[in-house]
Amino acid sequence: MHDINLTHSARPSRRSFLLTLSASVAGVALSTTARAQRALAAVALPPDIPRAITVYKDPECGCCAKWVKHMSAAGFVVTVRDTRDMATVKASMGVPSALESCHTARIGTYTIEGHVPADVIVTLLQQKPVAVGLSVPGMVSGSPGMEDGRVEKYDVMLFDKAGKARVFASR
């Protein structure tokens, strides 16, 4: 082992250390922001699809508010309806109990249940399948609005009036 004797001139000053640290943190933030902007740019809304979406959510739910921000950032015009009676909303919009999540939305003739990514909704609106809507059942880590540092694989389910579902997209 070698002993290293740092003289005062060889040590970085507190100020230069803090400036270097700040620049590094800013670089990470910028690269994260750039990745997010590229992801949203990939979701640029085609002119022929509906933009207005109404989201029904519990007023206390933070992840629902994050999903609303995700949808707004993707170019959708979001109207939020806070309600504590989500069971009635889900039943009225035909959401099968096995596919339930925390919030329910309506866009065009489709129901959107849970943390469905904006680009998958765009695909639904372009393809126009005969269906009630889409769902990401449960509260999946890493789905839009559920970003907590962990990322789980999940399926976005397309469901019909009979409650039958099939995988529409996988993440």
Side-chain angles (χ1 to χ4, degrees):
M1 273 184 107
H2 300 291
D3 287 334
I4 299 174
N5 184 10
L6 290 178
T7 64
H8 180 69
S9 62
R11 275 189 270 169
S13 70
R14 182 171 187 252
R15 182 174 185 210
S16 66
F17 171 76
L18 290 174
L19 286 173
T20 302
L21 180 62
S22 296
S24 297
V25 169
V28 169
L30 286 174
S31 67
T32 301
T33 301
R35 280 196 307 267
Q37 287 173 343
R38 281 194 303 274
L40 289 175
V43 182
L45 295 180
D48 60 333
I49 66 163
R51 287 174 163 52
I53 185 167
T54 302
V55 179
Y56 299 85
K57 68 174 200 57
D58 185 285
E60 304 301 319
C61 187
C63 68
C64 296
K66 289 179 183 178
W67 186 77
V68 166
K69 286 181 183 177
H70 165 77
M71 294 301 292
S72 294
F76 289 95
V77 178
V78 183
T79 300
V80 175
R81 302 271 190 249
D82 284 330
T83 179
R84 296 198 189 281
D85 188 11
M86 289 303 298
T88 299
V89 171
K90 291 173 189 316
S92 72
M93 292 196 197
V95 179
S97 60
L99 299 180
E100 287 183 2
S101 184
C102 54
H103 56 268
T104 307
R106 191 78 173 166
I107 185 164
T109 60
Y110 293 107
T111 298
I112 307 298
E113 179 68 12
H115 297 272
V116 179
D119 66 310
V120 177
I121 296 170
V122 169
T123 301
L124 172 80
L125 296 170
Q126 290 174 322
Q127 292 181 1
K128 300 177 182 156
V130 175
V132 172
L134 295 174
S135 172
V136 172
M139 310 282 286
V140 183
S141 290
S143 61
M146 292 294 296
E147 298 91 350
D148 61 2
R150 296 178 300 145
V151 178
E152 297 177 43
K153 291 184 178 185
Y154 63 94
D155 292 325
V156 179
M157 306 302 292
L158 181 75
F159 61 96
D160 64 18
K161 286 182 182 180
K164 293 181 183 174
R166 68 173 176 82
V167 175
F168 186 76
S170 294
R171 295 295 162 96

